[in-house]
Amino acid sequence: MNSVELRQKYLKFFESRGHKIISSASLVPDELVELSGTQRVLFTTAGMHPLVPYLLGAPHLEGQRLTNIQRCLRTDDIDQVGDAVHNTFFEMLGNWSLGDPASPDGVGLGGYWKKETITWSYEFLVNELKLDPKRIYVSVFAGDKDAPFDEESFNIWVKLGMPKDRIFKYPKKDNWWGPVGETGPCGPDTEMFYDMDPKAAGPIDPSSDSNRFVEIWNDVFMQYDRKIKNEKLKMKNDSNASSVNYYYVPLKQKNVDTGMGMERMLMVLQNAPSVYETDVFLPLIKFLEKEVFVKFKYGREERVDKAFRITADHLRAAVFLINDGLKPGNKERQYVLRRLIRRAVLQKELWGEKKSKLGKVVSVVEGVYKGSYNFSVTNISNIIDEETRKAEVAVGAAMKIWRKIVETSGGPVFIPGRSLWGVGESVKRTFDAKIVFDLYQNYGLPIEITAELAREVGGKIDRGGALELFKKHQESSRKASQKTKGGLVVQTEQAAKLHTATHLLHQALRDILGHHVHQTGSHITEERLRFDFSHNEKLSDDQIKKVEESVNQKIKENLTVYKKTMPREEADRLGAIGLFDEKYGDLVNIYYIAGTEDMKSAFSKEFCGGPHATSTSELKSFNIIKEESAGSGIRRIYATISG
Ligand code: SER
């Protein structure tokens, strides 16, 4: 079965069980998602991420049963890319219950909960995909101080005929999913594994042998909302997560979130040794054989295969990211894209044809995903080629430095071509952690590549020391990014009120400074709002006062916050402001703040996912605490409310 058939089969299976098919959200979450209550993440890392507001209770326009194929990007496993199962970009097939329907006692009686979810997963695997039931293993949550052993899931598996010695109990570290950020929806899960080596002896713990077992599906039962016990303590300790006390409260709405990794399932269905031998990757591997790593054949030599795999993975991810509107650059997300391309270029420099054009990969990727994704950005290949040129300079510089280090250590002299190095003295040297770290930091040379290069010349690297430096560096950059990015948009009544204050502020700024003002960022904590907007000058004291007065006036008028769903064109016509992203379909949510239900009389109208206060009087009063620059042409306001 190929990828196209798998996508169709999956969506059809759940559609015929009452699920509405929704389209994939962008890989690059926008401010709308942030405003609607998700921790700001750089990328969509799981199918649940774009759905968080709905998992927390906001009504979804398509109802409570949904199914989708979400494109995702994760870079935390980037050093494992090149093995059999890890990718940066991947697709996640999911079926969702947004509390459908709320069963009388919340758990397990009727509705769409564990029994339905697990039974459907099993039926899909065995009846539709024709997997051998004897090769399926599962795990359930073992229980701990926060939540009990998931006996219900255990019993459902037993009833479906799963022998007890193929049901494993794992702790939270393995069998619990979420929240996406530090707080939010989460819960125990049950995971399904497939035995890729049916001839191997007897049932063993699937987590103990990642070569033999592939994790194929994860059914998450979102029953809990994780909260932080002492927000103040946490802020003081900044990134020191271990000192943070979490507690778990049952979610009002019990949700189901399942995620089946597309590439891994294809590997199983196509009986492939790795995800790279499936139909979503083979055309890319062939392209690389023909155009880039022309001196090599895939499947002969492990370290060269790794170069093929890393390049295929990273270029595919880059194509999707650029298609979602991202450009390579030096900031946050853009930098991730730059590094992906840079790592691919490094592989090309090491093993490939120097002159080959990586941008040609775009038409290959488009071919693989024809009919499943629209590639609307027309210059993706130019962007990749241009970035490749820049990367070649950086990687070239790294290699020059490396060669010098080797040569001054008395090692062999570099000869380009089939083998990396000419024959010469080997370097019986351990290369310092600092060298490894600098090559990574300044030129993007990953640690495993430097290790490989060191081996090539008969030396090794101080891996332990380098990892130590990496860890230190990661900690300090995490701290820095937490300071600038902040933590969560907290889902509480307080945050909802501050969110309403944000809309009032937005409109007041437009009234007082002019209609060039529009939101460029927003971030809400329990204590304050932060609002970034386009404007060229510092606000005068008088302007700040006027803005405050305008918002306070609207609070005094006790206006109601209304929500209306309407076609996008109508919202545009009525002058609603804010961002719009086509992924929400033709119908959009508008929140408007008005004295009567008539939207024309509204003070503020914005596209938004909520949540909000019910009326402005709940805010009590509004106070701007700081106004500052947030970059060229952008101002930032911090404000609080007393309500
Ligand atoms: N959120 C879960 C995962 O990403 C299931 O979709 O594995």
Side-chain angles (χ1 to χ4, degrees), residues 94-166:
N95 54 283
W96 307 83
S97 164
L98 304 172
D100 171 43
S103 37
D105 68 352
V107 198
L109 289 180
Y112 178 167
W113 189 233
K114 296 186 182 179
K115 185 164 144 253
E116 293 71 20
T117 308
I118 295 174
T119 309
W120 286 335
S121 291
Y122 191 67
E123 279 173 8
F124 186 74
L125 293 176
V126 175
N127 299 344
E128 300 289 322
L129 301 185
K130 312 276 182 235
L131 297 193
D132 179 355
K134 289 196 283 302
R135 291 167 65 183
I136 299 174
Y137 286 59
V138 301
S139 65
V140 298
F141 177 57
D144 63 15
K145 64 176 190 348
D146 300 318
F149 160 52
D150 189 359
E151 197 174 358
E152 193 183 351
S153 295
F154 186 92
N155 289 336
I156 294 164
W157 281 117
V158 172
K159 264 216 174 113
L160 285 170
M162 184 65 62
K164 284 189 183 152
D165 63 358
R166 278 196 272 131

Side-chain angles (χ1 to χ4, degrees), residues 498 501 527-529 619 621-625 638-643:
L498 281 160
E527 278 89 29
R528 54 100 184 124
L529 67 85
L619 281 51
S621 72
F622 172 84
N623 182 22
I624 294 181
I625 43 182
Y638 289 89
T640 55
I641 52 171
S642 62

Side-chain angles (χ1 to χ4, degrees), residues 173-240:
K173 155 170 102 45
D174 306 300
N175 266 67
W176 188 276
W177 217 90
V180 166
E182 269 195 284
T183 61
C186 58
D189 62 43
T190 175
E191 297 183 14
M192 285 148 266
F193 301 83
Y194 201 61
D195 188 351
M196 297 298 278
D197 183 9
K199 286 191 212 83
I204 58 162
D205 179 349
S207 69
S208 69
D209 187 347
S210 59
N211 288 328
R212 182 171 152 192
F213 295 95
V214 184
E215 185 199 321
I216 47 176
W217 206 344
N218 187 5
D219 291 352
V220 185
F221 303 110
M222 294 202 169
Q223 304 172 250
Y224 299 98
D225 188 0
R226 185 165 84 176
K227 292 181 180 288
I228 295 173
K229 244 184 214 150
N230 190 338
E231 179 76 9
K232 296 253 158 51
L233 173 83
K234 192 221 134 211
M235 278 158 73
K236 224 167 56 214
N237 288 333
D238 215 3
S239 71
N240 194 356

Side-chain angles (χ1 to χ4, degrees), residues 45-48 74 90 92-94 96 177-178 189 215 218-220 222 257-260:
T45 56
M48 76 172 288
R74 286 184 197 169
F90 59 95
M92 194 84 118
L93 302 99
W96 307 83
W177 217 90
D189 62 43
E215 185 199 321
N218 187 5
D219 291 352
V220 185
M222 294 202 169
D257 151 17
T258 92
M260 177 199 280

Side-chain angles (χ1 to χ4, degrees), residues 500-512 515 546-555 557-562 574-577 591-606 616 619:
T500 303
T502 305
H503 281 213
L504 292 176
L505 171 64
H506 193 177
Q507 188 56 42
L509 286 167
R510 285 168 65 87
D511 288 348
I512 288 150
H515 279 193
K546 280 203 178 116
V547 171
E548 266 180 352
E549 275 168 10
S550 164
V551 174
N552 278 315
Q553 176 60 28
K554 296 300 153 192
I555 292 175
E557 286 172 20
N558 188 19
L559 304 178
T560 306
V561 184
Y562 294 98
L574 288 164
I577 56 172
Y591 277 87
Y592 63 100
I593 306 178
T596 72
E597 214 178 329
D598 179 11
M599 197 168 148
K600 286 201 204 79
S601 73
F603 172 68
S604 138
K605 321 181 233 325
E606 267 194 54
T616 58
L619 281 51

